[in-house]
Amino acid sequence: MKIRKVELEAVAAKPIQYPEEGLTEIALAGRSNVGKSSLINALINRNNFARTSGQPGKTQTINFYNINGDFRIVDLPGYGYAKVSVTERQRWAEMIEKYLTSRESLKEVVLLLDIRHEPGEHDKMMYDWIKSFGYKGYIIATKADKISKGQWQKYTNIIKKKLGVTNNDLIIPFSAAKKLNVEKVWETVGSILELQDEHADLDRIKPEEE
């Protein structure tokens, strides 16, 4: 995909701060420090556009990135970071849940996992939630440059077994540092957007057919 324009359209802690509904939104979910911001930077080929930090739990807002004026990538706060108060973790959880359950523009939720580690309890809960709401269940397995390519299958099989993933093609090994599988992720984004275009076309046709 050719990137013409990228804009951090909104930094939101509550729904009143969200951008207007309308553009298709693809949300990125995952544990703190799993690499959501790094993924965004790699996709748009900019080093520090999406704010990254070596400190887990840094993203405390929902960040809406407008891509070419065509769709949004939405960076959700990371979950599972223990070194904050229970109250603060609860606030983040409520912020994420409110967006995920109320946002009409949200069309897909992609789960990011560190390929090197077996998914934990929070990852399992998030993946089950994603599937229960009818989303496809795409997983981007980050930091794939930290293991040899020959081991990718072994580690993706662990993810598949732990989460109950039924299709190997839904798991994409990825590295922001080495730009591994950037095109594969863009293909996935493209397929999500094409599916939404098809649904929109059907919605426009239905009234005439009836």
Side-chain angles (χ1 to χ4, degrees), residues 171-190:
I171 304 176
I172 305 171
F174 177 83
S175 167
K178 301 294 185 181
K179 300 296 197 308
L180 299 174
N181 273 343
V182 168
E183 289 303 319
K184 180 68 174 176
V185 174
W186 271 126
E187 288 173 10
T188 300
V189 170

Side-chain angles (χ1 to χ4, degrees), residues 39 41 56 153 165 186 191 198:
L39 168 65
N41 287 329
Q153 188 65 52
V165 181
W186 271 126
S191 67
E198 289 173 7

Side-chain angles (χ1 to χ4, degrees), residues 17-81:
Q17 298 171 324
Y18 298 168
E20 289 187 11
E21 298 269 12
L23 293 182
T24 294
E25 292 176 359
I26 301 171
L28 305 179
R31 295 181 66 86
S32 297
N33 211 33
V34 75
K36 297 187 298 296
S37 297
S38 296
L39 168 65
I40 294 169
N41 287 329
L43 291 177
I44 65 177
N45 198 28
R46 299 191 189 181
N47 290 331
N48 296 301
F49 191 87
R51 290 166 287 186
T52 62
S53 173
Q55 178 184 348
K58 190 70 173 178
T59 301
Q60 301 178 21
T61 53
I62 300 174
N63 299 334
F64 294 78
Y65 295 92
N66 186 314
I67 311 297
N68 292 341
D70 295 330
F71 69 100
R72 299 184 183 107
I73 295 177
V74 182
D75 186 7
L76 301 175
Y79 55 77
Y81 182 53

